[in-house]
Amino acid sequence: EVQLVESGGGLVKPGGSLRLSCAASGFTFSVYSMNWVRQAPGKGLEWVSSISSSSSSINYADSLKGRFTVSRDNAKNSLYLQMNSLRAEDTAVYYCARDQSNYLEFDLWGQGTLVTVSS
Amino acid sequence: QSVLTQPPSVSAAPGQKVTISCSGSSSNIGNNYVSWYQQFPGTPPKLLIYDNNKRPSGIPDRFSGSKSATSATLAITGLQTGDEADYHCGTWDSSLSAVVFGGGTKLTVL
């Protein structure tokens, strides 16, 4: 089955760190660019980061630069998001999403993992 | 404040047609492909339209997309109660070097 499964979310205190993972299966992970998209409770979608198939091109939302780091391991069919210096406003469901054709159009999404930043 | 502007909500009766607008600028919609996503509560978004007006396999032709200058539109005909969901538009913004989304539109089928 073609799917993405996120893990690693949870409750973290402000200033803390968390590492999210996204396990891909059922398709050739290594040929696709991948992305993280988040959604705060009751809010719209917010793009977080993208990483090309070979990790040669990485982009971040301006508001997150310096705090979040995206990476991937094609041998393990996995995508990661290292989140540091977390703030209350980072509270959201984090989705990993596959870019179907390098036009940043996301044809496959995981179920999401909830990150809650609270003291 | 989202870079792309969508109406917060739209509504129409079953069987009718509804359109959802997505307004941007030359740095995003004006020069890049637009995609649309359908999202039911508690579930991830689902790709509905890509490359402005193409439908992924399995998406009914009741859903269509169009683009003109710096605005895009999602049209849904033959509305069904099962179409009640949130709809999001998205595109690349060349000035921001970022993917941008609209704030989402909640569709109610009366």
Side-chain angles (χ1 to χ4, degrees):
Chain A
E1 182 184 1
V2 175
Q3 63 177 357
L4 298 169
V5 178
E6 301 94 338
S7 60
L11 176 63
V12 61
K13 289 182 168 53
S17 297
L18 216 52
R19 189 194 195 207
L20 305 183
S21 299
C22 171
S25 59
F27 66 97
T28 307
F29 177 75
S30 62
V31 305
Y32 288 93
S33 294
M34 297 296 295
N35 291 258
W36 287 99
V37 177
R38 70 183 183 181
Q39 187 171 33
K43 302 297 184 181
L45 302 174
E46 180 185 14
W47 175 77
V48 171
S49 178
S50 68
I51 183 169
S52 63
S53 57
S54 64
S55 303
S56 60
S57 177
I58 291 176
N59 288 287
Y60 298 97
D62 264 352
S63 60
L64 302 173
K65 279 179 185 173
R67 295 194 299 126
F68 288 15
T69 303
V70 66
S71 62
R72 65 189 295 163
D73 185 336
N74 287 341
K76 295 183 177 180
N77 292 330
S78 293
L79 174 72
Y80 307 101
L81 184 68
Q82 177 66 42
M83 304 186 296
N84 298 329
S85 303
L86 283 163
R87 306 165 181 168
E89 53 265 36
D90 295 318
T91 294
V93 174
Y94 286 73
Y95 297 103
C96 62
R98 184 178 76 176
D99 182 353
Q100 68 168 7
S101 59
N102 290 325
Y103 285 126
L104 293 154
E105 298 172 313
F106 310 134
D107 68 331
L108 180 66
W109 297 67
Q111 285 298 312
T113 187
L114 175 62
V115 172
T116 303
V117 184
S118 174
S119 54
Chain B
Q1 192 81 357
S2 302
V3 173
L4 305 181
T5 302
Q6 296 181 237
S9 62
V10 295
S11 62
Q16 297 301 303
K17 173 184 177 180
V18 71
T19 60
I20 298 173
S21 61
C22 177
S23 178
S25 68
S26 59
S27 66
N28 43 65
I29 292 178
N31 284 284
N32 295 288
Y33 283 130
V34 176
S35 52
W36 289 91
Y37 303 88
Q38 177 189 56
Q39 185 180 29
F40 296 103
T43 69
K46 174 184 177 182
L47 183 64
L48 209 56
I49 297 289
Y50 68 97
D51 291 1
N52 303 329
N53 55 18
K54 297 177 183 174
R55 288 185 308 276
S57 173
I59 300 300
D61 59 6
R62 300 188 299 106
F63 295 90
S64 64
S66 63
K67 189 180 92 168
S68 178
T70 58
S71 290
T73 301
L74 173 69
I76 310 172
T77 59
L79 273 174
Q80 302 173 1
T81 55
D83 296 332
E84 283 203 342
D86 292 327
Y87 293 84
H88 308 270
C89 60
T91 187
W92 176 253
D93 190 299
S94 306
S95 294
L96 297 174
S97 292
V99 176
V100 292
F101 290 101
T105 297
K106 181 176 179 60
L107 169 64
T108 301
V109 181
L110 303 167

